[in-house]
Amino acid sequence: MGCLVSTPQDSVGNRRRPGSIGEVSVYVPGFRIPKPVDFSLPLGDQLPKNLMESLSALRTRVVVMAGQEAPTVSRTRRKSATQHGGSTLADLHQALQDYLPVLLGLVKDGSQLQHNVQFAWMNQEDEAEETAISNAWYEVLSVLHLMAMLSLSQANLLLLPRTSCDGYQPKVSEENRRASVDIFLKAAGYLDCAVRHVLPQFPTSLREDLPVDLAEGVLRALCLQALGQGVDIQLGMAIDSAKATLAVKRRLACEMVKYWQQAQDNIMNLPLANGWGEKHRLFIKWKYVEAKAAAYYYHGLILDEGNTEKSHGMAVAALQAADEYFKESKRSCEAFNAASPLSRNPPLWGTIKYLSEKIPKDTSSKVRINRDLYSHEKIMETAPTLPDFSLALKPDEFQLPPVFPSWNEDNVGGGQASSNHLKGE
């Protein structure tokens, strides 16, 4: 059902762990790196030469590019070209897309070839240095995970503020913000496909032995993280729009809370390790608390529009909660940046820039006014419950591509081809 080999972490270790990953708008918990594979020994007498060479060449291309890109993925302002001709995030993503249809031939129609090759990948969030499994579905799962991480890395680069031509403070263009939402949905689509269509291909015993990087909880958390950050961008654009009402902004903020809460629930009890994993947990905690600050702020503003003492009291309680969550989010942010590998915040922009200015000011003003109007007893001392909205943002509908046509030839995988002949007789 698939031989498993996990290499424990040694004192030296080959895992790439940068001391610092620079500015972070979108956290990416490292790149899992594929190790070289020789297909000729396990598959040599079962595949035609041209298919073997294609499979080998496409995977080697991925191995080389991933090895180049991983050490530099966190450099937020780097040269795109390399000695091998421009191994950028987009190039590596394309290499994975080219490889996937050929790889899927190993699992076509339940072929036994799926167990012939041992695939090895270096982990980032697991205690084990690397995990090797003789199951081609493990390779498919690893490819989808890497495609998602590349997308999140691309979104991070788009969402780092750049100094504008007019000389004003750094900002993120509307074009980049809109593009990043599309990328978040694409990343979520890869991860959703991995959870719904690839993980079920593993027997239960093997699923339990997967590295934590590929655990269902981590995959779901990453998917929800992508959706949560997509809503964050939408909220920022709503804040900038004169047409967006308070109700629209509150709804987006409340949806954002649900995405991050679900992400935290999925990742909370997993044995994340080795810096990347713990930092991942801290990032989700930070963004969850930050989302609650936004939601309570807009909920408070809407409650304050009411005409009763009760609504004004609830508004004060909501705004006070927003202020407390905002202060907690700053502490959570500091804890995230201080965790290894070190990181730092880009210049404030978007939702958090607006809220960092408005929450302390509006909370202080409205609390003072309402306390002057009503007695202490009239003001609720606990935050009102946030309204519950259904989640609107969904992952892109990504489907595994059709198997590369050469796999349909009769001379591929002798045993499988023979059984097909028998069915046709």
Side-chain angles (χ1 to χ4, degrees):
M1 300 301 285
C3 176
L4 166 76
V5 178
S6 289
T7 305
Q9 178 183 347
D10 56 34
S11 57
V12 179
N14 298 312
R15 200 164 4 197
R16 293 172 171 84
R17 296 185 195 144
S20 172
I21 54 175
E23 294 180 352
V24 172
S25 284
V26 181
Y27 180 64
V28 181
F31 278 6
R32 297 183 72 246
I33 307 300
K35 305 291 289 290
V37 167
D38 183 357
F39 289 102
S40 61
L41 292 176
L43 298 176
D45 60 345
Q46 300 182 68
L47 293 183
K49 183 178 179 182
N50 66 325
L51 190 52
M52 176 79 70
E53 290 177 347
S54 179
L55 189 62
S56 180
L58 288 167
R59 193 178 193 278
T60 298
R61 181 180 171 214
V62 169
V63 170
V64 171
M65 285 186 167
Q68 292 170 353
E69 200 63 33
T72 61
V73 65
S74 59
R75 295 181 194 168
T76 54
R77 295 174 179 83
R78 63 180 186 275
K79 296 179 180 178
S80 60
T82 71
Q83 59 181 340
H84 291 272
S87 174
T88 63
L89 295 173
D91 293 330
L92 177 51
H93 194 279
Q94 185 61 54
L96 290 164
Q97 287 183 308
D98 294 342
Y99 172 49
L100 193 53
V102 182
L103 168 64
L104 286 169
L106 291 176
V107 298
K108 179 176 179 285
D109 299 329
S111 170
Q112 286 304 303
L113 292 177
Q114 67 180 276
H115 303 297
N116 285 26
V117 183
Q118 186 177 79
F119 295 98
W121 288 68
M122 291 179 63
N123 302 313
Q124 293 294 358
E125 298 190 277
D126 198 272
E127 286 283 359
E129 183 86 12
E130 66 181 61
T131 301
I133 299 179
S134 297
N135 190 313
W137 282 115
Y138 170 61
E139 180 83 344
V140 174
L141 184 61
S142 297
V143 166
L144 289 179
H145 179 270
L146 183 51
M147 288 169 68
M149 296 306 97
L150 288 168
S151 297
L152 293 180
S153 297
Q154 186 181 0
N156 184 57
L157 293 174
L158 286 174
L159 296 177
L160 293 175
R162 301 288 188 254
T163 302
S164 55
C165 299
D166 54 18
Y168 287 99
Q169 62 186 25
K171 61 183 180 181
V172 176
S173 69
E174 183 171 341
E175 179 185 1
N176 279 9
R177 287 190 283 176
R178 292 188 182 280
S180 73
V181 174
D182 293 338
I183 292 171
F184 283 131
L185 297 184
K186 185 182 295 184
Y190 298 143
L191 294 160
D192 186 58
C193 176
V195 170
R196 294 195 297 117
H197 300 298
V198 179
L199 276 181
Q201 305 296 331
F202 290 82
T204 303
S205 57
L206 192 54
R207 283 182 66 169
E208 294 173 351
D209 289 330
L210 288 171
V212 73
D213 307 56
L214 302 179
E216 181 175 348
V218 169
L219 298 176
R220 288 187 182 278
L222 285 166
C223 178
L224 290 158
Q225 170 186 330
L227 296 174
Q229 296 210 259
V231 176
D232 192 353
I233 300 303
Q234 290 181 329
L235 176 57
M237 291 191 290
I239 289 171
D240 291 344
S241 171
K243 297 180 180 180
T245 64
L246 278 179
V248 168
K249 296 169 190 174
R250 179 178 68 173
R251 177 178 183 124
L252 288 169
C254 288
E255 287 183 33
M256 189 162 58
V257 170
K258 289 180 71 173
Y259 284 120
W260 287 111
Q261 181 178 19
Q262 290 177 24
Q264 181 165 276
D265 290 344
N266 273 283
I267 210 171
M268 186 182 303
N269 297 318
L270 294 174
L272 297 169
N274 293 305
W276 287 113
E278 181 57 27
K279 197 171 181 74
H280 192 182
R281 199 193 314 272
L282 289 171
F283 181 76
I284 289 177
K285 178 184 177 181
W286 162 31
K287 289 299 179 180
Y288 176 38
V289 175
E290 189 175 88
K292 286 198 283 188
Y296 275 109
Y297 173 70
Y298 285 111
H299 191 39
L301 293 185
I302 288 179
L303 289 171
D304 198 50
E305 292 180 338
N307 295 319
T308 66
E309 291 185 16
K310 181 179 180 181
S311 66
H312 288 306
M314 292 172 68
V316 169
L319 290 169
Q320 286 178 318
D323 193 47
E324 288 302 314
Y325 281 124
F326 179 68
K327 292 173 183 175
E328 184 183 345
S329 76
K330 291 197 288 187
R331 294 191 294 270
S332 297
C333 174
E334 291 171 0
F336 165 76
N337 285 325
S340 177
L342 301 177
S343 57
R344 62 181 185 274
N345 289 346
L348 289 182
W349 67 277
T351 304
I352 189 59
K353 182 177 188 300
Y354 178 83
L355 294 178
S356 67
E357 297 167 354
K358 298 292 287 184
I359 288 178
K361 177 182 175 182
D362 287 357
T363 300
S364 175
S365 171
K366 294 189 183 297
V367 167
R368 177 180 53 79
I369 292 172
N370 283 286
R371 284 197 184 280
D372 288 345
L373 290 174
Y374 309 120
S375 66
H376 180 79
E377 290 74 21
K378 293 286 186 180
I379 297 175
M380 296 180 64
E381 294 302 315
T382 57
T385 303
L386 291 171
D388 185 18
F389 297 104
S390 59
L391 297 175
L393 211 57
K394 306 294 183 184
D396 276 356
E397 189 66 35
F398 176 78
Q399 296 181 343
L400 293 174
V403 173
F404 191 65
S406 295
W407 282 100
N408 297 322
E409 298 174 3
D410 288 344
N411 61 338
V412 174
Q416 190 71 25
S418 298
S419 68
N420 289 336
H421 279 307
L422 290 171
K423 290 177 184 177
E425 289 176 357

